[in-house]
Amino acid sequence: MSVVNIPIEMISRCSTLGEMMPIKFRIESASHEMITAKVEEVVYKKESNFAGVRTFEYGCKINLEGKEQLIEVRYHVMSHKWEINKVIYR
């Protein structure tokens, strides 16, 4: 498991109850190309409040460039920003 904290562009959906779920995201590769990855499954969701910074963390299975990966994406409530927080397995 590695902590990476990479900012991403996310497409998510909100239910009528206000629950957010990630659908797909774009990330910039090392060669500065934009790569799109679809979230295959959300394994877990948890809310966190560390030092007054409220976040939602989602464990997501994705298929990126032919490899299944489990990552943790984080949504920052106050700044409305998404990031890949951790790569759990590649």
Side-chain angles (χ1 to χ4, degrees):
M1 175 172 65
S2 60
V3 177
V4 292
N5 293 326
I6 301 171
I8 57 174
E9 296 176 356
M10 177 67 76
I11 294 177
S12 63
R13 70 174 165 86
C14 293
S15 72
T16 56
L17 301 174
E19 298 173 353
M20 250 190 325
M21 294 301 284
I23 297 175
K24 65 180 176 178
F25 64 89
R26 289 191 335 166
I27 186 169
E28 188 174 354
S29 70
S31 60
H32 302 289
E33 297 177 70
M34 295 305 284
I35 300 170
T36 302
K38 183 180 179 218
V39 175
E40 303 291 333
E41 178 185 354
V42 176
V43 179
Y44 66 86
K45 174 191 171 191
K46 63 182 178 179
E47 188 173 346
S48 178
N49 192 352
F50 182 72
V53 179
R54 188 168 167 226
T55 61
F56 292 104
E57 297 163 357
Y58 300 86
C60 300
K61 280 189 182 176
I62 62 167
N63 193 335
L64 189 61
E65 298 177 335
K67 298 178 188 173
E68 184 178 273
Q69 298 182 15
L70 180 62
I71 62 170
E72 183 177 275
V73 294
R74 182 182 285 170
Y75 175 71
H76 294 267
V77 175
M78 291 299 290
S79 64
H80 307 289
K81 293 182 181 178
W82 287 89
E83 67 182 19
I84 296 177
N85 183 40
K86 297 177 192 170
V87 177
I88 298 170
Y89 74 80
R90 292 180 192 250

